[in-house]
Amino acid sequence: MAFPLRSRAFGCSLIFLSLIFSSLSTFSLALTNVEASFIVHRQLLSLKENDDLPDDYESKVDVKETFPNPRLKKAYIALQAWKKATYSDPDKTMGNWEGPNVCQYKGVFCEKALDDPNITVVAGVDLNHADIAGYLPVELGLLTDLALLHINSNRFCGIIPKSFSKLKLLFEIDFSNNRFVGPFPEVLLSLKKLRFLDLRFNNFEGELPAELFNMKLDALFLNDNRFKGAIPETLGNSTVSVVVFSNNNFIGCIPSSVGRMMGTLNEINFKKNGLGGCVPPEIGNLKNVTVFDVSYNSFVGALPQSLVSLGSVVELDISHNKLTGSVPEELCKLPGLQEFEFSYNYFKGESKVCNPEFRKDAKFDDKGNCLPHRPEQRSSKECFVAMTNQVDCTRDRHCGGGGKGGHPKKENDPHDQSPIDQTRASPTPENDPYEQSPVEASRPPPPPPLVPSPSPQVHSPPPPPVQSPQPPAYSPPPFIQSPPPLIHSPPPPVQSPPPPVHSPPPPVHSPPPPIYSPPPPVHSPPPPVYSPPPPPVHSPPPPVYSPPPPPPVWSPPPPSPSPSPPPPLYSPPPPPPSPSPSPVEDIILPPNLGFHYSSPPPPMVPGY
């Protein structure tokens, strides 16, 4: 959006001072992680039922001031709520937001109502580059005459409230370069008058709704967010003249319906995503396109011959893909082509007119390919692999390119100029291993406390108490009624030693069980707790080849069984049972509110 020109300076010193002032005005005070979380928390606490406003909300607000008409009263309530939702206003932009004369508020513009020229209403709010930190309150839904809302290059956090569905006259929305989160704000889909939508440089995420491209938009900026998934096939229904998808996580193919945008489309940008497959030949229908960019993706195969029909193209960038074949000569001869980037692919041929040394009147770049007799090309090994795995795009579009969760490495590109430094990585929540929503992080329930089951009365010598890993059931299995042979594997986990033993063990003739199988069903009780012990046997113990107690799952096998059982022992009583450990108290952590990341600097280009 154009800004009024400053008065001309009358001396070098005055020019120098104005430059210093201009640089200071673009300085942004970054929010800390704690501050961002605090702002999001405040918004959550302020949300009304269903995140919306009741129809008669303004009548319940006690306002002592008088206003020329009820609509200005509603605007006063909305703007005062917005001021209270502000955490930081370093330039005092909202400093004069006091009193009933809302048309005098800085950044607020009033006009005659469209449906009644006899009354004045708030028609626009422009807070661009104000560096305000805060959130959007639901009371903004009271600005029902609002046609323009520009708040780019601030530090607004949180979500877009559902009350925006009441702003039926909104024509332009610019939310760019803030810190909004959550899925695509579907409340905006209900705004039938909307023509300009700018969401770039935020942290919106998830898939795009198919209904987005059924809106009658003229410009759509989605770049530098965290959107993912396939671009909907409804893309061809869009009426936009410019659409930007770059620097997201989109996958799959470019929808073939893109060819239906020929009547309105001038610029389209898919740069730095995870898109793949073949370049759709329907691109050739876009005869009015001046900018076409699919760089830094995973497109494969040969370029479609239909691209030579892009008669209006000025900037064409297909670099950093996996394209093969030759660069069409007719493409390089397009009359308006000023920049053609086809570097870092696997092209093996180009005509003389595509050679950067031949085209002095335009900027061509062919390095990083497989072109013979050209400098800075790929190695012969790389080219051989590419040539033996070429893709035939005449049979299949190969839309599996890109893959879920994976996309090509995004290399540094000095030509990639954007309002904000492109090296800013997508912010990720800190200390959140479960990757929950930025608004409220949840943790899995704690494991149940260890409750030791009482050991049944058995007639076998007690094994020595040991500390061994707990089995999944969190209770020790009952002990086998046989004397433990001399083994080197850990005995089963115990919480307390069993009572003293006063009788010989029962005869057991089963061979040792295999290493990773359960004990034999006949002579060992199953793991369920509280199972009664088998009746004692009072016959003298015959030769026994007793198995070891059931070892933990991953313990080594026991040694060979001993040839004879040890004589009955009358060991002294063990120490008194130790009390079972008390359940570990679950520590409730506070919710992790908001993404933890630094605020981006404002764009360095004027307007939007």
Side-chain angles (χ1 to χ4, degrees):
M1 185 173 183
F3 292 93
L5 296 174
R6 296 181 179 178
S7 59
R8 296 181 179 274
F10 294 97
C12 294
S13 60
L14 193 57
I15 294 175
F16 179 71
L17 291 175
S18 65
L19 289 174
I20 294 177
F21 177 79
S22 176
S23 63
L24 290 176
S25 65
T26 60
F27 177 71
S28 177
L29 300 175
L31 287 176
T32 66
N33 296 334
V34 175
E35 288 171 331
S37 298
F38 174 72
I39 292 173
V40 175
H41 190 206
R42 285 179 60 186
Q43 183 184 34
L44 292 177
L45 293 176
S46 69
L47 291 177
K48 313 298 179 185
E49 185 177 0
N50 298 323
D51 303 348
D52 209 339
L53 284 176
D55 294 333
D56 58 344
Y57 177 78
E58 65 275 9
S59 63
K60 299 178 182 179
V61 180
D62 184 18
V63 178
K64 296 181 175 57
E65 288 83 355
T66 58
F67 301 88
N69 61 70
R71 299 190 192 182
L72 289 179
K73 176 185 176 181
K74 292 168 62 177
Y76 172 82
I77 296 172
L79 295 175
Q80 290 302 312
W82 199 358
K83 184 177 181 180
K84 291 179 181 178
T86 297
Y87 178 78
S88 172
D89 184 7
D91 297 332
K92 306 299 180 185
T93 304
M94 296 181 174
N96 73 331
W97 285 27
E98 300 289 347
N101 192 359
V102 295
C103 294
Q104 296 299 315
Y105 289 4
K106 186 176 181 180
V108 178
F109 304 96
C110 294
E111 293 290 344
K112 299 297 182 181
L114 294 177
D115 59 340
D116 188 353
N118 297 318
I119 64 173
T120 301
V121 296
V122 172
V125 176
D126 189 342
L127 300 178
N128 283 351
H129 302 274
D131 199 29
I132 297 172
Y135 63 89
L136 304 183
V138 291
E139 286 85 354
L140 291 181
L142 298 174
L143 298 173
T144 52
D145 293 286
L146 199 66
L148 179 146
L149 180 58
H150 287 183
I151 56 172
N152 80 52
S153 303
N154 285 282
R155 291 172 289 154
F156 288 112
C157 305
I159 61 175
I160 312 302
K162 293 181 180 178
S163 59
F164 268 58
S165 62
K166 302 180 184 297
L167 308 184
K168 302 296 185 181
L169 300 180
L170 263 180
F171 188 84
E172 291 187 13
I173 290 180
D174 187 353
F175 289 160
S176 64
N177 194 19
N178 281 283
R179 299 179 65 171
F180 292 116
V181 297
F184 180 91
E186 295 197 10
V187 63
L188 304 181
L189 300 177
S190 63
L191 305 180
K192 305 302 181 184
K193 301 284 186 180
L194 192 64
R195 295 294 179 267
F196 179 93
L197 179 58
D198 192 345
L199 302 180
R200 55 186 161 173
F201 293 99
N202 280 286
N203 286 284
F204 293 113
E205 58 190 352
E207 299 185 0
L208 296 178
E211 298 81 3
L212 173 62
F213 301 104
N214 294 330
M215 300 179 70
K216 302 301 180 182
L217 295 173
D218 179 63
L220 177 61
F221 297 93
L222 302 170
N223 53 290
D224 294 88
N225 280 282
R226 302 172 65 185
F227 291 121
K228 64 179 182 179
I231 297 175
E233 190 65 31
T234 53
L235 173 64
N237 300 339
S238 181
T239 58
V240 295
S241 61
V242 54
V243 58
V244 183
F245 297 96
S246 60
N247 290 291
N248 280 287
N249 298 307
F250 293 114
I251 59 173
C253 281
I254 296 177
S256 58
S257 63
V258 68
R260 300 204 306 265
M261 303 172 72
M262 66 184 80
T264 59
L265 190 63
N266 297 125
E267 299 182 18
I268 189 166
N269 193 325
F270 298 99
K271 186 175 187 176
K272 290 188 178 180
N273 279 285
L275 298 170
C278 299
V279 177
E282 291 82 2
I283 295 294
N285 297 337
L286 306 177
K287 302 184 185 303
N288 297 322
V289 162
T290 58
V291 177
F292 181 76
D293 193 338
V294 293
S295 60
Y296 291 91
N297 282 283
S298 295
F299 291 104
V300 296
L303 287 176
Q305 189 64 28
S306 61
L307 290 188
V308 302
S309 300
L310 299 177
S312 302
V313 69
V314 177
E315 298 179 18
L316 179 61
D317 195 342
I318 57 174
S319 63
H320 294 272
N321 281 285
K322 302 174 183 178
L323 299 169
T324 56
S326 298
V327 182
E329 179 178 352
E330 295 82 0
L331 190 59
C332 300
K333 290 182 177 180
L334 290 174
L337 189 59
Q338 295 298 314
E339 293 187 21
F340 185 19
E341 296 275 351
F342 55 98
S343 57
Y344 295 102
N345 281 283
Y346 294 91
F347 291 119
K348 63 179 181 180
E350 65 176 358
S351 66
K352 183 178 180 180
V353 294
C354 298
N355 191 318
E357 297 177 358
F358 179 81
R359 287 294 302 266
K360 301 296 184 181
D361 59 333
K363 178 184 176 182
F364 282 22
D365 190 356
D366 66 354
K367 62 177 175 287
N369 281 286
C370 300
L371 302 171
H373 313 299
R374 292 292 300 150
E376 300 182 62
Q377 300 297 302
R378 295 183 184 272
S379 66
S380 57
K381 181 178 180 181
E382 287 181 280
C383 295
F384 176 79
V385 173
M387 298 309 168
T388 54
N389 293 279
Q390 294 191 57
V391 172
D392 186 0
C393 290
T394 61
R395 298 182 178 181
D396 186 9
R397 294 187 61 199
H398 301 274
C399 285
K404 275 193 175 182
H407 45 275
K409 181 180 179 181
K410 300 177 181 179
E411 305 180 31
N412 295 330
D413 183 8
H415 308 293
D416 182 21
Q417 301 296 330
S418 63
I420 294 182
D421 185 6
Q422 290 294 342
T423 59
R424 178 174 72 93
S426 297
T428 54
E430 296 178 357
N431 302 324
D432 187 12
Y434 304 105
E435 299 180 354
Q436 299 291 335
S437 166
V439 177
E440 178 174 288
S442 61
R443 298 185 299 115
L450 302 179
V451 180
S453 58
S455 302
Q457 191 74 19
V458 295
H459 304 281
S460 61
V466 295
Q467 298 297 328
S468 58
Q470 296 291 339
Y474 298 102
S475 62
F479 297 102
I480 307 300
Q481 297 183 1
S482 61
L486 184 58
I487 59 173
H488 298 283
S489 61
V494 290
Q495 299 298 327
S496 61
V501 180
H502 302 287
S503 62
V508 180
H509 299 282
S510 59
I515 300 305
Y516 298 105
S517 62
V522 177
H523 300 287
S524 61
V529 185
Y530 305 114
S531 60
V537 180
H538 300 286
S539 59
V544 178
Y545 294 90
S546 59
V553 176
W554 304 106
S555 63
S560 304
S562 58
S564 62
L569 300 177
Y570 294 92
S571 59
S578 59
S580 60
S582 59
V584 179
E585 181 179 354
D586 185 26
I587 300 174
I588 305 301
L589 296 177
N592 179 12
L593 300 175
F595 282 117
H596 303 291
Y597 50 86
S598 301
S599 175
M604 300 305 294
V605 296
Y608 49 74

